Amino acid sequence: MIASTARRVAAKLRGSSLPRSSLNFLRRELERLQEKFKKRSERIAELEKQVQEKEKELANAQKKIAEQEKQITDLERQLALRKRNSTNSSKPPSSDGLAGEQRPRGRKHKSQRKPGGQPGHPGHHRPLIPTAEVNVLKVLLPERCQHCGRKLPQKSDRVTTEGEPRRHQVTEIPEINPHTTEYPCPQVVCEHGQKTTQEPLPEEVRGNFGPHLTALIAYWTVVCRVPRRLVETMLADVLGLEISLGSTQKAWEEVSQAVAQPCQQWQEQLPREAVRNVDETGWRSNGDKRWIWTFVAKQFVFYAVASTRSAAVLVALLGTVFRGILCCDRLPVYFSYHSGRMQLCWAHLKRDILGIAEDARSRSAQPFGRDALAVVARLFRLWYRFRGDLRDRRGNPQPINRRQLLRKSMPLQKKLFALAETHLDHANKEVRNLATALYVHCERLFTFLEVKGVEPTNNGAERALRTAVQWRKICFGNRSRSGEIATARLLTVTQTCKRQQRHALGYLREAVQCHRRRTASPSLLRRRI
């Protein structure tokens, strides 16, 4: 506005015939307006510069807010992951330490009962062994009568007794001393040719330690999970036997060679099993990453240490095509290998649903977890009724047969499938992934309802792996391929003996004896449970 006024004034001055005084006034006014215009222009430029700076600050602030929101989201995700434990995720129980949220243990409400046996409890005690099996029998006779104070006879055949005596037994372990057998091998001179002949050592005594001691070293290492340094100490302190660390390693390797044949039989039997539970976990070999696999069948448990977690391990052990039922978790390796019937682990699935129900941020995600948990609870109430384990006693439910189980569970299967279908496009990533898994693998979740011998969870394989995990925390893995093979063999034998309720130490001793005699090791395949 000031500029247009100055232009009009300048135009009038150029074409005007006014007096000089008026022209001077108008020129001064023009100069004043021009000066005012200049200041206004400078002020506008300064304000525009400030606006640009403010816009730049606003853009930086918006960028910083976006970064902070992203950081907050990441921190909330990390906090949710730290709250996850073995009850609401697929994390192993060994991870429930100080780094994560502790899983709830014990009762929610403290019981008012006193600790120990309750009134009416029958009690348990160690039974007395028969008198005929007692090593030493000492009859305790009183010296004086506690009523009149007279002396009593101190020989059993001179006293008169009444009723059955009170029996008290004390069991003690005698002091253990190593039993060493020496085999002199003299060089006998032949009278005819005057040449010497020496008898070779029998096959079963060529080692420096007997079969029982050799098997005991492996038993302590594998079953009791005692480190080899402590095995060396126990042999010295308990058995009075000085032995080097290298000798314990040699004994361990000999036991591994002794059970090679039965382990090979179990490996050949793997593809023929109708139902197979499988799982895997990490392992170490000389600092390199390895994987230890376990396969659980009805009769035996088989372990293998491999350098990969891929389907190549399954192909090598189960064949190109496995015609049985594979029970496992939702690792993609199993889906790429096996296209036949499967049973996915409901324990993993329930923990994932529980994690969504507890830690989901969006309100729409929590109803999905709640509804899915309700369906799972109803399904397993039917399963417990079928198994005869009436955990839900509301209404005194009666056991059901398999036909009733299938009929009553069909609406629940459809409801779970429909619930997954409605959440395939959910905004929450965890809900979307779990709904997709339920939708795609729905048929593979209910095999246990139809086939006898199939369990709804993969707990059998997980319990077998737990033994390996506990050993891994002590031994920190292996150092060679031969050590990996020995680990897999000894775990296979000891866990199979446990599954068949067979004495593991006795079997290891018998295997070592057969190995030294160069005869076939005892097989466990023919033993039925």
Side-chain angles (χ1 to χ4, degrees):
M1 184 177 180
I2 295 175
S4 61
T5 303
R7 287 194 295 271
R8 287 197 301 271
V9 172
K12 288 180 180 180
L13 289 176
R14 286 193 297 270
S16 175
S17 58
L18 294 175
R20 182 177 296 275
S21 58
S22 298
L23 291 174
N24 292 335
F25 172 78
L26 290 174
R27 288 191 181 96
R28 289 194 299 270
E29 186 68 18
L30 177 62
E31 292 175 354
R32 186 182 66 82
L33 291 174
Q34 289 177 344
E35 183 68 20
K36 189 174 182 181
F37 172 73
K38 183 178 179 181
K39 292 181 178 179
R40 290 290 179 89
S41 298
E42 292 177 352
R43 178 61 178 168
I44 290 172
E46 182 180 357
L47 292 175
E48 288 179 350
K49 184 178 180 181
Q50 292 180 2
V51 169
Q52 292 177 357
E53 291 178 353
K54 294 296 183 181
E55 289 178 349
K56 186 176 180 180
E57 291 179 359
L58 179 61
N60 292 335
Q62 291 177 344
K63 182 179 179 181
K64 188 175 181 180
I65 290 173
E67 292 177 352
Q68 290 179 345
E69 288 180 348
K70 183 179 179 181
Q71 186 178 9
I72 290 172
T73 303
D74 186 60
L75 291 174
E76 288 179 344
R77 182 184 62 82
Q78 294 181 20
L79 180 61
L81 291 177
R82 284 190 173 271
K83 290 183 177 180
R84 295 288 177 90
N85 52 41
S86 59
T87 63
N88 54 17
S89 69
S90 297
K91 296 177 64 177
S94 59
S95 65
D96 294 338
L98 298 178
E101 186 76 11
Q102 290 288 316
R103 71 176 186 269
R105 291 178 171 86
R107 299 176 180 268
K108 294 182 179 180
H109 304 287
K110 188 175 180 181
S111 175
Q112 300 298 323
R113 298 185 301 178
K114 295 182 179 180
Q118 304 301 315
H121 179 66
H124 300 282
H125 60 277
R126 184 172 180 271
L128 297 174
I129 64 176
T131 305
E133 299 179 7
V134 173
N135 300 99
V136 179
L137 186 64
K138 291 184 178 181
V139 181
L140 300 180
L141 298 175
E143 294 183 359
R144 294 180 179 273
C145 177
Q146 64 179 359
H147 302 286
C148 63
R150 292 185 178 182
K151 290 185 177 181
L152 297 175
Q154 295 300 302
K155 294 184 178 181
S156 301
D157 56 351
R158 297 183 57 186
V159 299
T160 303
T161 61
E162 180 180 341
E164 293 293 331
R166 180 171 65 91
R167 299 176 63 196
H168 177 74
Q169 293 180 351
V170 177
T171 303
E172 176 62 295
I173 298 177
E175 184 179 353
I176 302 175
N177 294 312
H179 184 274
T180 304
T181 303
E182 183 177 348
Y183 296 88
C185 302
Q187 296 184 2
V188 180
V189 179
C190 178
E191 296 180 356
H192 179 71
Q194 297 300 316
K195 293 184 179 180
T196 60
T197 303
Q198 191 176 49
E199 178 69 14
L201 288 173
E203 293 288 345
E204 60 268 17
V205 299
R206 289 201 172 186
N208 294 325
F209 306 108
H212 185 76
L213 179 57
T214 304
L216 182 62
I217 292 174
Y219 181 85
W220 279 347
T221 305
V222 182
V223 179
C224 303
R225 293 181 286 278
V226 180
R228 293 172 201 178
R229 289 286 184 186
L230 292 181
V231 171
E232 181 183 358
T233 303
M234 290 175 63
L235 289 171
D237 295 343
V238 178
L239 302 181
L241 179 63
E242 296 292 338
I243 185 173
S244 66
L245 189 63
S247 297
T248 62
Q249 176 66 19
K250 289 181 179 178
W252 193 70
E253 292 175 353
E254 183 182 2
V255 177
S256 169
Q257 297 172 4
V259 298
Q261 182 180 359
C263 289
Q264 181 64 31
Q265 293 176 353
W266 292 323
Q267 182 175 345
E268 295 172 356
Q269 180 65 22
L270 275 176
R272 306 188 188 103
E273 293 294 320
V275 180
R276 169 73 66 252
N277 289 73
V278 59
D279 204 355
E280 78 295 323
T281 189
W283 193 259
R284 288 285 176 183
S285 182
N286 204 20
D288 297 330
K289 186 66 175 180
R290 294 289 186 270
W291 299 94
I292 185 165
W293 294 71
T294 181
F295 299 83
V296 180
K298 183 179 180 181
Q299 293 189 58
F300 62 92
V301 183
F302 185 82
Y303 292 84
V305 179
S307 59
T308 179
R309 202 184 187 184
S310 66
V313 179
L314 299 172
V315 173
L317 295 175
L318 300 181
T320 307
V321 177
F322 179 62
R323 303 188 182 280
I325 299 175
L326 199 66
C327 305
C328 56
D329 52 23
R330 300 195 306 275
L331 186 69
V333 170
Y334 301 120
F335 301 130
S336 63
Y337 165 73
H338 187 59
S339 59
R341 302 198 69 177
M342 299 178 67
Q343 174 58 58
L344 300 183
C345 180
W346 274 94
H348 284 77
L349 184 64
K350 183 179 179 181
R351 289 194 293 264
D352 292 340
I353 298 174
L354 188 61
I356 292 176
E358 291 181 351
D359 301 329
R361 295 180 58 194
S362 61
R363 293 183 178 180
S364 58
Q366 293 179 350
F368 169 78
R370 183 184 63 248
D371 296 342
L373 285 176
V375 175
V376 173
R378 292 177 58 188
L379 177 66
F380 276 87
R381 279 199 292 268
L382 292 175
W383 175 251
Y384 295 143
R385 288 178 61 185
F386 170 73
R387 295 284 296 268
D389 183 7
L390 305 181
R391 301 187 183 185
D392 186 7
R393 293 177 171 82
R394 291 175 295 181
N396 296 322
Q398 298 296 324
I400 57 177
N401 55 33
R402 189 171 293 275
R403 184 176 181 180
Q404 293 172 323
L405 174 66
L406 291 173
R407 179 173 56 83
K408 291 178 178 293
S409 64
M410 190 58 64
L412 300 177
Q413 297 182 37
K414 295 179 179 179
K415 187 173 182 179
L416 188 65
F417 183 80
L419 182 65
E421 188 177 13
T422 56
H423 289 80
L424 291 176
D425 299 326
H426 198 274
N428 187 283
K429 182 179 178 181
E430 292 186 358
V431 174
R432 186 169 63 251
N433 290 343
L434 188 57
T436 302
L438 291 174
Y439 182 82
V440 174
H441 306 298
C442 190
E443 293 183 357
R444 295 173 172 174
L445 292 171
F446 303 102
T447 307
F448 74 101
L449 299 175
E450 304 173 3
V451 182
K452 182 180 179 181
V454 178
E455 292 293 326
T457 66
N458 200 30
N459 290 345
E462 291 184 354
R463 285 194 296 266
L465 269 188
R466 184 166 179 79
T467 301
V469 170
Q470 292 172 341
W471 193 10
R472 180 188 64 194
K473 292 179 178 295
I474 296 173
C475 71
F476 304 105
N478 304 114
R479 293 189 177 183
S480 63
R481 179 55 186 167
S482 60
E484 296 173 358
I485 296 174
T487 296
R489 287 175 180 173
L490 294 177
L491 282 173
T492 298
V493 170
T494 54
Q495 291 302 306
T496 299
C497 288
K498 180 180 179 181
R499 190 171 187 83
Q500 297 186 4
Q501 298 180 355
R502 184 164 180 168
H503 192 244
L505 179 58
Y507 179 83
L508 293 176
R509 180 179 64 249
E510 188 177 356
V512 172
Q513 291 173 344
C514 294
H515 175 68
R516 292 183 178 180
R517 295 169 183 168
R518 302 185 185 278
T519 59
S521 299
S523 175
L524 294 174
L525 281 178
R526 301 185 185 91
R527 187 180 178 90
R528 298 291 179 178
I529 56 175

